[in-house]
Amino acid sequence: EAGVAQSPRYKIIEKRQSVAFWCNPISGHATLYWYQQILGQGPKLLIQFQNNGVVDDSQLPKDRFSAERLKGVDSTLKIQPAKLEDSAVYLCASTLTGTANTGELFFGEGSRLTVL
Amino acid sequence: DAKTTQPPSMDCAEGRAANLPCNHSTISGNEYVYWYRQIHSQGPQYIIHGLKNNETNEMASLIITEDRKSSTLILPHATLRDTAVYYCIVRVVNQGGKLIFGQGTELSVKP
């Protein structure tokens, strides 16, 4: 079974530039998450999708971050303009359901962003 | 949502059991305890989860105290490949299944 695919694996940009990350979840997984992991810290949830609708984006800095999940499959996370503090690994995860089911989350390997 | 407390780091000798503690004193009755681990430069990996009873799978055992205020993850025969950051997470069941990560425990398995 193919896992969660993310690209690019690494990206270096200068502050105020824009960047986009792509995620392809496991086939059939209705729920998709984006996490931000700053070096030395645990992952922090940015946004959760159920199919193509947003379930929770309370921790997403909406002045610069945006995310979409067209057609309820692939998702894109965009940062514009980037700040130095956005340097982090961006993790995508998916699961079969976003309800009270105890299904486990499957994570991709992440996209490492460095903002200079 | 309930929060967890874990020691920042632990060492374990290869071949011995690794016992990783976690405190979750404010856990609610319908919240599960989940354990994930993250090997360097990889995404987190699910290990095990439980509600009240002890659980065991091919990777580990989870022991939850009767009052559910703490739990212990046991890796019965640690190997060098078990070196990772281990996260104990209380699942916010009524908020769509998201996982809130803490700082975790960095486990170093030494030869």
Side-chain angles (χ1 to χ4, degrees):
Chain A
E1 173 183 272
V4 175
Q6 290 188 246
S7 68
R9 286 296 313 278
Y10 305 93
K11 189 72 176 180
I12 300 173
I13 62 173
E14 295 188 350
K15 59 182 179 183
R16 291 187 289 274
Q17 287 187 324
S18 63
V19 63
F21 302 112
W22 172 82
C23 173
N24 179 235
I26 293 173
S27 177
H29 282 196
T31 305
L32 184 147
Y33 309 78
W34 282 102
Y35 284 83
Q36 178 194 57
Q37 186 171 25
I38 293 172
L39 186 65
Q41 299 182 15
K44 170 191 168 185
L45 180 66
L46 292 176
I47 190 167
Q48 176 185 348
F49 291 94
Q50 174 77 9
N51 295 310
N52 61 350
V54 175
V55 174
D56 184 354
D57 63 357
S58 58
Q59 299 298 307
L60 188 73
K62 299 179 186 64
D63 58 334
R64 298 183 300 104
F65 285 65
S66 65
E68 60 182 11
R69 191 183 184 196
L70 300 176
K71 302 181 181 180
V73 180
D74 293 3
S75 178
T76 302
L77 176 69
K78 296 180 181 178
I79 308 174
Q80 182 180 10
K83 293 185 175 181
L84 296 178
E85 58 261 36
D86 298 332
S87 294
V89 175
Y90 291 86
L91 294 160
C92 180
S94 69
T95 190
L96 275 170
T97 176
T99 66
N101 191 292
T102 59
E104 65 184 90
L105 271 64
F106 295 82
F107 284 83
E109 293 191 325
S111 294
R112 182 179 296 276
L113 173 66
T114 301
V115 182
L116 303 175
Chain B
D1 50 300
K3 294 184 178 180
T4 62
T5 304
Q6 299 177 253
S9 63
M10 291 182 63
D11 289 342
C12 178
E14 187 178 19
R16 305 296 294 267
N19 297 283
L20 292 89
C22 179
N23 285 317
H24 32 79
S25 58
T26 59
I27 190 171
S28 299
N30 61 349
E31 291 177 322
Y32 288 74
V33 179
Y34 276 74
W35 284 84
Y36 278 72
R37 75 180 183 184
Q38 187 172 25
I39 296 170
H40 183 62
S41 296
Q42 297 183 20
Q45 175 193 22
Y46 166 84
I47 302 173
I48 197 167
H49 74 277
L51 182 63
K52 295 180 181 179
N53 301 319
N54 298 337
E55 303 287 344
T56 296
N57 62 21
E58 65 278 4
M59 290 182 68
S61 295
L62 174 60
I63 308 298
I64 302 174
T65 58
E66 191 170 343
D67 62 8
R68 301 211 323 124
K69 293 185 177 182
S70 65
S71 60
T72 301
L73 178 74
I74 301 173
L75 307 178
H77 305 288
T79 70
L80 299 179
R81 288 175 295 179
D82 292 321
T83 293
V85 178
Y86 287 77
Y87 295 99
C88 169
I89 303 161
V90 172
R91 178 104 180 226
V92 185
V93 175
N94 63 349
Q95 293 186 17
K98 63 185 179 184
L99 296 184
I100 309 296
F101 288 81
Q103 294 290 86
T105 295
E106 186 167 7
L107 175 69
S108 295
V109 180
K110 300 181 184 296

